[in-house]
Amino acid sequence: MIEITSQHDYERLDVFISEQLEITRSKAQTYIKEGYITGSKKLKPSMKVSEGQKFFAELPESPNMTELKAESVEFEVVYEDEYLLVINKPSGLVVHPAPGNWSGTLVNGLVYRYPEFRLMTNRLRPGIVHRLDAGTSGLMIAARTQNVCDELQKRFAAREIRKTYLALVHGFPKKHEGILSGPIDRDPNNFMRMSVVENGKPSLTGYRVLWKMNHHSLIECRLFTGRMHQIRVHMSALGCPLVGDVLYGADDDFNGRVYLHSWKLNFEHPVTHENLSFKQKLPDDFMIRIYDII
C-alpha cells in the first residue's frame, strides 16, 4: 500500500492522484471509483483535496511497495551527512517508481545505497522532497530521516529553498530579463501537458538571457513557485520552447532529453542551520548540444 500526502490544495482528487502516480486522469478516476484509492471517508473523483490530506493507494498492477527493489543505479552524490543528500541526477533517470516505471528509478538506487530510506512512511517516494522530470539533469535534495523529509517538504512549499536552472531554448526572448507570471494548470485540450490558463495556479519564473546565438538562447531561470513543468510551460508561452521539448513546441527530439539543468541550490540545513550552497556544471551531453549550435 502506498501513502500519498498532498503538499497543497487541489480542486479535484482525480487531478491530484494523476499527478502523484503519473497516470492519466481517466485512469485515476477508475482507481478512485473501484476503491484502489482510499482515505478517511468515501472518495469521489471530483472532491477537493486539502493540504496535508492523506490517501492510500493499492494498485492492481503495482508490486508490493514494502518490498521495493534495491538496485544499483548510476547517480552522483555531491554532498551527504546523516540527515540529507544532495544528488546530481543524470538526464533520463526517473525519480521514483510509478505505473510503467516500477524499477530502475533514483529511489531504487537510494534504497540500494542507503537502506534507511526503507524506513520512510511514503513507500512510493521515500526521502523525496522535490522532483526533477526524467529528462532534466542536475541538483536535487533527498532526506535521510522522516523528520528531515517533513521539514524540507514544508520549506519547499513555503518557497524557502532557492533553485536556479539553465535552459537551452529556441529563439530569443524580446527582453533580456524579466519575470514570467502566467498562471499554470492542466491543459484542457491535452492532459499530458500543463498550460498557461486564465484560472490556473499563480506561477512566477524569473529569467535572464546569458547568451544568444544561431536562433538559440541559454537562459538562467529561477523558480519562485513550483508548478509542474513550470519552466517548460513559461518558456514555451514566451515563444522559446526548450530544445528537445516536443511536448511544448520544440521540433527536435533527443529521445526524451529536454535541455534543462538544475544548476544551483541554496538552502538552510534543517538541523544544523548551516547555509548550504551548491552549483553543478552542465553535463557533457548539454555542452555538446551547445557546441553544435555554436
Side-chain angles (χ1 to χ4, degrees), residues 31-247:
Y31 284 163
I32 295 166
K33 291 175 181 176
E34 294 185 358
Y36 294 115
I37 310 296
T38 57
S40 59
K41 59 182 179 180
K42 186 175 181 179
L43 305 181
K44 295 182 178 180
S46 61
M47 68 177 283
K48 292 187 176 182
V49 176
S50 300
E51 180 180 351
Q53 195 167 357
K54 289 186 178 182
F55 301 91
F56 301 91
E58 192 161 7
L59 308 185
E61 73 272 33
S62 69
N64 183 346
M65 293 304 292
T66 62
E67 298 177 2
L68 181 64
K69 186 177 181 182
E71 299 174 288
S72 179
V73 175
E74 281 294 319
F75 61 89
E76 179 188 6
V77 175
V78 299
Y79 171 86
E80 69 175 283
D81 61 27
E82 61 186 297
Y83 306 107
L84 59 86
L85 309 171
V86 177
I87 294 161
N88 178 26
K89 187 189 85 68
S91 172
L93 180 60
V94 175
V95 169
H96 60 79
N101 284 293
W102 289 118
S103 64
T105 72
L106 174 63
V107 163
N108 296 105
L110 285 171
V111 299
Y112 178 83
R113 294 195 202 181
Y114 305 95
E116 67 268 20
F117 276 82
R118 291 187 182 277
L119 303 177
M120 301 284 183
T121 58
N122 189 329
R123 299 293 185 183
L124 184 66
R125 303 179 183 181
I128 302 302
V129 297
H130 67 125
R131 187 177 63 182
L132 298 179
D133 294 337
T136 301
S137 58
L139 296 168
M140 62 177 292
I141 308 169
R144 297 183 70 176
T145 72
Q146 189 60 51
N147 287 341
V148 169
C149 186
D150 294 342
E151 178 61 28
L152 285 172
Q153 286 176 343
K154 290 177 185 177
R155 294 191 185 190
F156 269 102
R159 311 305 168 203
E160 295 176 359
I161 296 177
R162 180 167 177 152
K163 298 177 288 182
T164 307
Y165 291 73
L166 292 176
L168 184 63
V169 307
H170 291 279
F172 307 143
K174 291 181 180 179
K175 294 182 179 180
H176 178 74
E177 60 184 315
I179 294 181
L180 306 175
S181 59
I184 293 174
D185 213 330
R186 190 69 63 176
D187 188 326
N189 300 312
N190 183 348
F191 178 77
M192 299 302 294
R193 289 167 44 105
M194 306 300 284
S195 183
V196 172
V197 294
E198 184 176 353
N199 296 316
K201 297 168 185 173
S203 307
L204 292 174
T205 303
Y207 77 92
R208 181 167 64 98
V209 178
L210 300 181
W211 60 253
K212 301 185 292 184
M213 188 173 294
N214 294 334
H215 307 291
H216 291 80
S217 304
L218 185 66
I219 310 289
E220 176 186 294
C221 297
R222 182 182 172 193
L223 290 179
F224 295 100
T225 54
R227 309 304 174 204
M228 180 179 284
H229 297 175
Q230 181 173 314
I231 293 173
R232 299 166 64 184
V233 173
H234 274 164
M235 295 313 299
S236 178
L238 194 63
C240 298
L242 273 66
V243 172
D245 196 357
V246 293
L247 184 62

Side-chain angles (χ1 to χ4, degrees), residues 237-275:
L238 194 63
C240 298
L242 273 66
V243 172
D245 196 357
V246 293
L247 184 62
Y248 290 103
D251 57 7
D252 43 9
D253 187 351
F254 298 105
N255 296 318
R257 176 40 153 153
V258 174
Y259 282 82
L260 182 64
H261 179 70
S262 178
W263 184 32
K264 296 178 182 178
L265 268 177
N266 305 88
F267 62 99
E268 180 187 278
H269 194 289
V271 178
T272 68
H273 305 292
E274 178 186 1
N275 288 319

